[in-house]
Structures are given as C-alpha cells and as structure tokens.
Amino acid sequence: MLYQHFATQEEIDRAYEPMMGRDPAVLVKDWRERSEASRVNNRTTLDLPYGPTLAERMDLFHADASHDEHPKAPVHVFFHGGYWRSLSHREFSFIVDDLVNAGITVAVVNYALCPQVRFSELVRQSQAAVAYIYRHAAELEVDPEQLSISGHSAGGHLCAMLMSTDWEGTFGLPNQLIRGALCISGLYDLRPFPWSWLQPKLQLSGRDVQEFSPLWLPCRVPAPIKLVAGNLESEEFERQMSSYAEHLSQQGQTVAQQLLPNVDHFSILEHYLNDGCFVEWIKGFHC
C-alpha cells in the first residue's frame, strides 16, 4: 500500500482531487468578481508587505467604523487554499464582508507557491504574516490580544502549522498570541501527496512530510480549534479532520469537529457569508 488503504496513485488522485465535477475556470471567475466587489465596498489597505519578498503581501479589510466604540478592532487572518501551488489572496476577498460588518478587521494573506519555493517557505511566510500583524498591531489599528486565524484546504493546513509553532522560542512572541483557529477542509497528514498528481509541483521530501504534517506535531498554542469539512467532499477530507481532532484531543487541546451538510470543497466557503456559521464561530473566539 502507498498510503492507508490506497494501492495506486490513481486511487489517491481520485480521493484528493476536489475539482471533479467542477469547472475551475467558472469557479475562479466567480471568486474574482465577488472579491473585486469586496475590495471596492470596504475600506482597504491592499498589498501590505509583511516580508521582504514580492509574494509576502496581504490585503487588510478594516473593521466597520460603526463598531469604533472599541478603538482597536479584533483581527482575523485568513489563508487561502490552492493545494500550496495555485491561486492568491486576490481570489478570496469575498469572504470578508460579514466579518468586517461585525467589527472585525480581516487580513487576507498571500504567500509564495510551490515549486517556485520549497514547501518549508510557505510555512515560514505564514508564520511571518501572523508575527507581522502582532508586532504592528498599533499602526494597523487592531488589538494584538484579539487575533484569530482561519484557512481553507491548504490554508487549513497552514493554520494547523501556526498552532504548532513555537512562537516564543522562534519569534520571541507569546505562545498565546492566537485566540482561536478555524481549519476548513484542511490537510493535516502530508503522507499521501508524494504519491499523488501534486508531487511534481510540491516536490515534498520525506523530511518535509515529517516536519510539516500537523498530525504528527505537538500543538503549542493553547486556544480552541474548530475543524470542519463538507459532506460532499471525498471521505479522505473527513478522515483527515477526524484524525487531527483525535490528535489534538489527546493533547488536551480544546477542539471541535463538524461535517457540514450539503457543501463540497468549494461551496463550504459560503459559510463566511449570509449569516453563515463561520462568522459566529470567529466572533466567539474573541469573546
């Protein structure tokens, strides 16, 4: 067996190809159009650099001013998906509107992609983005003690890696800097991907799989974690979620998992909008 019960690459590819039955051009076009509207309709700081490379940029969507009875807004940091090798922050601005209206500033983070950089660099850049927001909270007009994170697919993996980061030992920041994490259709065990259609892009080594699989790492941030997947996704997304939830629970971490009905790997993002549950959960991190 290559991984779990999978004996061939074709079996792994089917389990980890969420685009089956979808037209990617139509999907991404819709995201881009809706995201452009969100950038027009909100007060923004676009392409804010958080590191020295061109990829290290974020779009900041400032909290609705009607909530300015609190001079510094909570801040939520979102990491996009794309299997670590495609898309950017600009396709995902559409997730911010209801959070901004709730008085939360949202940072939508861009990061470099494989194979232009090694997998480890994606993780480093994600850490750098959070560290930048925490350190520059005053000038960003956000409360560093009210910082939460979420991510979709590959972004869910990056959020899990942020929860496994030794913030104090590596960055000189408190390990309590994240108030809560929402990981959406995340990937927590990288072992199938060297055997998959993604490997020519990801170029994962055995060391990468070991060092960057949250399923095998201690969770160092003592904050609640919410794990979700869609019931229309392949069973592997639910299994990865359940395995990671068990791993966290065994460490005494506050964790909840939920399989959401009637959504696939992409429509699950609609839960950021139209009174969707994601906004309420994120607001709960800041209570």
Side-chain angles (χ1 to χ4, degrees):
M1 295 296 173
L2 298 180
Y3 171 74
Q4 296 286 334
H5 60 279
F6 298 111
T8 67
Q9 178 184 335
E10 288 74 19
E11 291 174 344
I12 292 176
D13 287 349
R14 281 194 298 271
Y16 285 98
E17 176 44 281
M19 196 61 77
M20 287 184 179
R22 285 275 196 169
D23 183 333
V26 170
L27 179 70
V28 174
K29 180 175 183 289
D30 175 63
W31 284 350
R32 286 175 174 158
E33 290 175 350
R34 294 164 67 190
S35 292
E36 176 61 27
S38 292
R39 290 192 292 274
V40 169
N41 294 330
N42 290 288
R43 185 166 63 94
T44 60
T45 302
L46 300 180
D47 285 327
L48 178 68
Y50 65 85
T53 71
L54 290 176
E56 292 172 88
R57 300 289 185 269
M58 65 175 75
D59 287 347
L60 206 65
F61 296 81
H62 300 277
D64 186 341
S66 66
H67 294 263
D68 62 4
E69 64 271 14
H70 302 293
K72 293 182 179 179
V75 59
H76 183 73
V77 190
F78 175 82
F79 295 87
H80 71 82
Y83 263 147
W84 308 282
R85 95 300 178 209
S86 68
L87 302 176
S88 74
H89 61 324
R90 284 302 172 89
E91 285 82 20
F92 294 89
S93 304
F94 74 90
I95 65 99
V96 310
D97 292 348
D98 285 2
L99 288 166
V100 168
N101 290 337
I104 299 172
T105 292
V106 184
V108 181
V109 176
N110 193 67
Y111 51 85
L113 302 172
C114 296
Q116 285 78 23
V117 297
R118 296 292 304 272
F119 196 89
S120 57
E121 177 63 5
L122 277 68
V123 176
R124 186 204 65 78
Q125 290 185 12
S126 301
Q127 294 168 330
V130 170
Y132 177 90
I133 291 170
Y134 190 88
R135 287 174 171 149
H136 295 264
E139 62 194 78
L140 300 177
E141 299 179 346
V142 299
D143 183 353
E145 307 304 319
Q146 292 285 330
L147 186 155
S148 63
I149 61 174
S150 69
H152 172 240
S153 193
H157 162 268
L158 292 173
C159 285
M161 289 301 303
L162 294 173
M163 299 300 283
S164 293
T165 297
D166 179 5
W167 292 100
E168 185 173 348
T170 304
F171 291 89
L173 299 176
N175 280 333
Q176 298 83 5
L177 84 170
I178 296 172
R179 289 291 297 268
L182 169 61
C183 302
I184 305 158
S185 301
L187 303 151
Y188 313 107
D189 182 355
L190 299 182
R191 288 180 298 169
F193 299 112
W195 306 105
S196 77
W197 60 282
L198 288 161
Q199 179 61 0
K201 291 285 189 181
L202 301 183
Q203 299 180 12
L204 287 165
S205 68
R207 183 174 179 177
D208 290 335
V209 170
Q210 182 178 11
E211 291 186 356
F212 302 116
S213 289
L215 186 61
W216 312 111
L217 301 176
C219 184
R220 292 187 167 93
V221 178
I225 301 175
K226 181 77 174 182
L227 309 177
V228 295
N231 75 329
L232 301 182
E233 300 187 84
S234 80
E235 293 179 357
E236 275 298 281
F237 286 92
E238 180 183 5
R239 189 194 61 77
Q240 288 241 6
M241 175 181 70
S242 297
S243 296
Y244 186 49
E246 181 180 2
H247 173 66
L248 293 170
S249 181
Q250 289 174 349
Q251 298 176 69
Q253 193 75 17
T254 300
V255 59
Q257 62 174 316
Q258 187 171 345
L259 191 66
L260 298 178
N262 304 317
V263 288
D264 65 14
H265 191 71
F266 305 104
S267 60
I268 196 170
L269 287 173
E270 300 303 316
H271 281 290
Y272 279 101
L273 305 171
N274 303 319
D275 298 320
C277 55
F278 292 173
V279 174
E280 289 304 311
W281 293 343
I282 291 167
K283 285 165 63 178
F285 293 148
H286 300 285
C287 293

